[in-house]
Amino acid sequence: MGLTKQESELIQFIRTLDFDDMLNVLDGIKAVAEDLSTKSYDQIGKGNIMASMGFESQAEKMTKLEELLGDANEKYRKEIYSGLEEGE
């Protein structure tokens, strides 16, 4: 599968971000995921099962995006995984 111009530009941009930039980006995505998860629970409490499932699905996608973006940046990976190895 080939990449579009926009996909290629996104990949190149992600590679330029330093560790602190990635922390900011990933913290933002995590906050959105947590907000969506809270909305899911709120909707369950109101008996809106379908809305709850929708918010939960969105939260899961944001969590996956957070994981993939972090893994796509070499500087972030090196910091996170080297820290995990040291803490073992």
Side-chain angles (χ1 to χ4, degrees), residues 15-33:
R15 289 177 177 173
T16 68
L17 298 175
D18 65 20
F19 180 72
D20 290 329
D21 293 334
M22 287 304 299
L23 282 179
N24 291 331
V25 168
L26 299 179
D27 283 349
I29 294 171
K30 184 175 187 169
V32 170

Side-chain angles (χ1 to χ4, degrees), residues 3-48:
L3 296 176
T4 66
K5 177 183 178 239
Q6 295 84 355
E7 291 166 332
S8 181
E9 288 175 356
L10 175 62
I11 292 167
Q12 290 173 22
F13 181 72
I14 290 169
R15 289 177 177 173
T16 68
L17 298 175
D18 65 20
F19 180 72
D20 290 329
D21 293 334
M22 287 304 299
L23 282 179
N24 291 331
V25 168
L26 299 179
D27 283 349
I29 294 171
K30 184 175 187 169
V32 170
E34 290 171 353
D35 182 55
L36 289 165
S37 188
T38 299
K39 288 178 180 178
S40 174
Y41 287 117
D42 289 344
Q43 291 302 311
I44 280 284
K46 295 176 183 176
N48 299 328

Side-chain angles (χ1 to χ4, degrees), residues 28-85:
I29 294 171
K30 184 175 187 169
V32 170
E34 290 171 353
D35 182 55
L36 289 165
S37 188
T38 299
K39 288 178 180 178
S40 174
Y41 287 117
D42 289 344
Q43 291 302 311
I44 280 284
K46 295 176 183 176
N48 299 328
I49 305 302
M50 294 304 291
S52 174
M53 290 172 58
F55 284 123
E56 190 57 33
S57 174
Q58 292 174 7
E60 289 170 1
K61 289 175 186 173
M62 290 298 102
T63 300
K64 184 66 174 179
L65 178 60
E66 176 190 359
E67 176 187 320
L68 292 173
L69 279 174
D71 286 347
N73 180 276
E74 182 179 3
K75 295 167 193 148
Y76 181 82
R77 265 193 333 268
K78 283 183 178 178
E79 281 289 325
I80 293 299
Y81 294 132
S82 71
L84 289 177
E85 291 171 6

